[in-house]
């Protein structure tokens, strides 16, 4: 499945892993301000914030997995299978198709606060992009440097949750994931104390024992707890290099190695790519499963007043630097 | 602390993480065949297998953390604090100082089988390298493409264990770590089955749930279980690029992000470097905490009949490739 | 807190633990058919099913913790602190005070099916019994030999859940507890298989390892999982003695020993009593923390056509049988 | 398998569970001072401390599972399958057969201190009691009110460990079990603190969450941790009734309900009996799987200067007290 995370040093960073058993052919995609978003039910957005992110581009439409806009707002969609539920059209709502949700928000909102206003009248509808690309069951994290929230469209309607962790994975619904974090409140980056019995000579035989009980598997709930722990306790310098490096270490804690998540038929879910976007500088960093080097695309090196998508195919294959 | 691992595809790979709160100034160091190893109690070895690995070089002596030789044998020393116990000299033994152990074995042995013979008469003695560099408390993994073993010098004497996992971390002693693996035998990369009760409608709500129970913290025992699970279930192509990539994913599962292992005084243990050596081709790959790109040094590009150490300082700082 | 459970052999058994740091002075209380229940807002029930259970009797009103009626229906209230939410009166509903809920259902319903009908129009209201006995925050399990359900009155209204496990503890809400059971689906009473790696010689070094991962603490979520596992896998003869014995073993698995749940001020939560009622025969069995012997009260030995409560104070203190 | 425990209030209590899938026909057995113990290789002990405990009596010899003597010393043997190793005779040692070990120690020693002296020259030998009763693979706990130790006869010889917990189960060897306790040092009977992140609003949603991570399964290592936690944190009055009651709550935490430990062929390991002996007063208390009432035998009600075994068959079947 996937994990999204945020991280703030001097700048604000937003990114995610995309975990799956195959790739649609994803590209780092910049949508400039005058690219016209033709929405299915709510007209065309001809002018909007520029944005950069990872997308599968179909019929010249950027199907973003995650993106950030030039105002510093980020948004990512993650699998939410079995819980996501989209609705039919309603006349008094903004009828946004699931695949239009990221452009709809990032095109218009400069902050989570502004997104909250738009979300009040949104109706996520069950219009698929095409017959070949049916509805993806997703939920979303929207974040800026000040706050984050999670949006879920479920049977009972739209749910909007504050997301104080700035992390999102998949099932179960976000409020239950947050609740389960209570079970781990005792975990710590510091050495454990002996609370078992002061009459027993217990001791820490290794560094790192303060977080014993942290789950290490790849299920969505375990990845949520692990990413939350690493992110909330992360320490780094605030330079661009140090911040980006630390961000990839955070998501590295939920990396899915090939072989550890067998989905049958000889297929394995792996972390296809990991991304990290500096939302202040518009630089999108990524690694792929088979390329540990961080590659980057800078939104501001393109003409953001243009009306055409700018697309960069991913660099795959290890870029090994020979030192001799 | 640290984690060592092995991995075999077409070639055999051997590497480790080095986890600590500071670095001594490590360098990729090649010892050619005619560099004279002046041992403290057992004379000088003037001719030996060439080797490559990570070392802190002091007084022109390569204090290897881990290395592999040109015959395909690898060896790494890992912290074993509180359990390692070195002895005084014994007349009928090979009195090898702890810091000489890696050159002693890799200089002479082409295989684990040959190492076993040497180990029969070894006595690891408590001679420190210098006043500034006191004895490190270590145990070792020695591996070739066919087998691996673990060597521990403890109170009771030298212990040699078969190491069927090809993984080593730190405390407790290796046999106890192996024993604890039994507690995880039910874990699987495949989706879990319902064995709880056939009368309850339990289901897998996420991929990856078959390994629920795998520990995710940074203690040595938990890293051992996690690295063992990832390594034993790893799947990859057998090309050099795919093998090396997979190896770094294996050790990525036990990466120590800054902030998650607080050792007091505002210091944090992190994964200072991660290495992977193709023992067949003599290429040593590494990443550092702040440089995700894989860097490599090829032993065979140097004159291996020389008598001088060849040293490559590590490349630190993210080497980010700008795509636009 | 508390744990309720059901068990079916030839007869159907319903019971619970009551865990707390002090007792109100509980009594096994039989309410005969003609005892008039004076409800606060919905009149007086003058004729009803007889019932037996544990109650604190205040002002001659049986405040039942749990009870079963002569028709074979059982019902228990368990703490649900922070989630229970009772409402104001509504004109088109049955306005039942929280403390009247058990008599309201058990007085009129012969089965869970019949209870479902009554629950459709119920409104659990926030009228306290008295100033000294404020509202208890509870949720309920209602069960007969065919099925069980859980009732929760929360912020959003009344929630009714099928309860296929026949177990209830406390927080979080029941549907989340049931969901968490999925995380344990791999646990088994049988010896574990090696799914970790067929290349490692892992083995079961002890009996009982198939359920490694079952939580052993006293939190409500852990008690739910443990009681569910023991109940769903229970095996016993179907005689009265064997069935009752097994029932006390099931709830024994979630017994709270004094000292293990420190609630501050030198107070400890313990299992004050454990009950088991044969719903077919109307026999109520119980043990107390300091009396391991099972004591019983038979409803049918009383005149069930009477109009007065019949009360049996609990027998405390170990009843040790000296064999010599 | 089994669990042994000790508990001290005003008096000192020693007992155990015996977990198995069938019973040999155990009896509470008193051996008076002049019963002659005919040892196989070390003569006859004609005068010794009187003792009481659970035994299978074969050929008039009490094969004790556990016992305490009139001096206040207790000793129990517990399964240690795969690790126990008995030796051949040695001329300069006390050659004690495995089945003679409890009488040998309890017959002569008034304290653990005295037992240590005898253990210095003991050799546990591989003489079976008879063809029908082959060697049981056991290890032992010996305890008085001041201290406890564990004795293991393994491949390398006799191992004697201080046992500061006063608890013993089965595999792995005791020192490894003690070591594993370090992994649980953070567990507490008190409510957990938030050490995960002071930026997250985590809270305890239930009592008892301080011990989250305590294992709840029936494997020997998990029972050791659980019994240790309950015993070390136990709180009770110091009267006989309160002490005995608390002791049965301690061992109740490792009770094996029928169905939870499937040993194949439709058989289940259960807690056949649980015992608790007041070592100061010589009163032996027990419960059986199907009799929750505590039954007792008082050693001092027999003629302890006699030379014949006194045997009390166990009372099976629930002794239910009808209150009406």
């Amino acid at each position: 499945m996937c994990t999204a995370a945020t991280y703030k040093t001097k700048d604000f960073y937003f990114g995610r892993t995309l975990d799956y058993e195959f790739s649609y052919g994803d590209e780092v995609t910049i949508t400039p301000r005058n690219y016209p978003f033709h929405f299915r039910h709510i007209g065309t957005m001809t002018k909007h914030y520029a944005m950069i992110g990872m997308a599968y581009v179909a019929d010249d439409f950027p199907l973003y997995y995650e993106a950030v806009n030039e105002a510093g707002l980020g948004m990512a969609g993650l699998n939410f299978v079995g819980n996501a539920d989209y609705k039919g059209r309603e006349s008094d709502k903004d009828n946004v198709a699931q695949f239009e949700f990221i452009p709809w928000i990032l095109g218009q909102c400069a902050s989570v606060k502004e997104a909250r206003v738009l979300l009040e009248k949104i109706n996520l509808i069950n219009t698929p992009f095409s017959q070949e690309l049916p509805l993806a069951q997703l939920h979303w994290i929207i974040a800026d440097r000040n706050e984050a929230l999670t949006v879920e469209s479920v049977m009972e309607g739209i749910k909007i949750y504050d997301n104080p962790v700035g992390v999102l994975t998949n099932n179960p619904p976000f409020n239950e994931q947050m609740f389960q974090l209570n079970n781990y409140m005792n975990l710590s980056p510091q050495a454990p104390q002996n609370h078992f019995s002061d009459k027993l000579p217990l001791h820490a035989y290794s560094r790192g024992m303060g977080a014993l009980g942290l789950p290490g598997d790849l299920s969505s709930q375990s990845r949520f707890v692990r990413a939350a722990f690493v992110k909330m306790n992360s320490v780094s310098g605030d330079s661009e290099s140090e911040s980006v490096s630390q961000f990839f270490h955070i998501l590295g804690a939920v990396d899915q190695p090939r072989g550890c998540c067998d989905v049958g038929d000889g297929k394995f879910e792996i972390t296809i790519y990991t991304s990290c976007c500096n939302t202040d500088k518009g630089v999108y960093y990524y690694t792929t499963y088979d390329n540990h080097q961080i590659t980057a695309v800078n939104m501001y090196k393109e003409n953001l007043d243009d009306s055409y998508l700018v697309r960069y195919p991913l660099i795959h294959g290890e870029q090994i630097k020979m030192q001799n």
Side-chain angles (χ1 to χ4, degrees), chain A residues 77-90 96-99 101 123-128 134-140 151-158:
Chain A
L78 289 92
N79 264 335
F80 193 45
V81 178
N83 285 299
D85 189 68
Y86 309 116
K87 314 296 182 187
R89 295 174 63 177
E90 282 186 54
V96 176
Q98 165 250 299
F99 62 87
F101 193 21
N123 181 35
L124 286 170
I125 61 172
N126 52 16
T127 306
L135 283 168
Q137 295 195 294
L138 303 176
H139 58 173
W140 292 266
V151 182
E152 300 184 341
S153 182
V154 293
M155 186 92 68
E156 298 82 24
I158 296 277

Side-chain angles (χ1 to χ4, degrees), chain A residues 24 35-41 55-64 86 96-101 103 125-136 309:
Chain A
Y24 280 96
Y35 166 90
F37 279 113
H38 300 294
F39 292 113
R40 298 291 168 97
H41 306 283
Y56 170 56
V57 178
D59 299 340
D60 198 42
F61 190 94
L63 295 163
Y64 278 116
Y86 309 116
V96 176
Q98 165 250 299
F99 62 87
E100 300 167 341
F101 193 21
I125 61 172
N126 52 16
T127 306
F129 182 79
S130 68
Q131 248 183 325
E132 293 73 35
L133 289 172
L135 283 168
L309 297 181

Side-chain angles (χ1 to χ4, degrees), chain A residues 11-56:
Chain A
D11 287 345
F12 179 65
Y13 299 85
F14 180 93
R16 63 98 57 81
T17 62
L18 190 131
D19 306 330
Y20 213 56
E21 67 267 30
F22 69 92
S23 166
Y24 280 96
D26 320 318
E27 296 174 311
V28 180
T29 303
I30 297 162
T31 304
R33 293 171 193 129
N34 296 305
Y35 166 90
F37 279 113
H38 300 294
F39 292 113
R40 298 291 168 97
H41 306 283
I42 39 173
T44 294
M45 191 188 284
T46 51
K47 207 160 178 60
H48 50 75
Y49 289 122
M51 59 193 81
I52 185 171
M54 193 70 82
Y56 170 56

Side-chain angles (χ1 to χ4, degrees), chain A residues 191-265:
Chain A
Q193 306 285 313
N194 179 5
H195 298 299
F196 192 99
S197 168
D198 56 14
K199 292 189 185 65
L200 293 180
L202 304 179
H203 68 286
Y205 60 83
S206 164
R207 292 172 165 194
M209 287 175 62
L212 266 165
L214 192 70
D217 64 285
L218 298 177
S219 71
S220 46
Q221 195 168 285
S222 296
R223 280 184 286 109
F224 181 77
V225 176
R226 199 154 72 252
F229 183 77
V230 176
K231 180 254 167 93
M232 297 309 290
N233 291 293
S234 267
V235 172
S236 74
D238 62 4
S239 73
E240 184 67 358
S241 178
E242 290 164 304
S243 303
V244 168
S245 174
Q246 186 69 18
F247 194 97
F248 281 95
H249 281 283
I250 293 171
L251 286 185
V254 290
D255 174 65
Q256 301 207 178
R258 192 186 297 105
C260 293
C261 184
D262 184 335
V263 296
D265 295 329

Side-chain angles (χ1 to χ4, degrees), chain A residues 280-300:
Chain A
D280 295 284
K281 296 202 169 63
V283 182
Y284 184 96
Y285 304 90
Y286 70 89
T287 58
T288 63
Y289 190 83
D290 271 327
N291 183 9
H292 281 75
Q293 186 185 23
I294 298 170
T295 307
V297 176
N298 185 338
M299 176 163 71
Y300 292 107

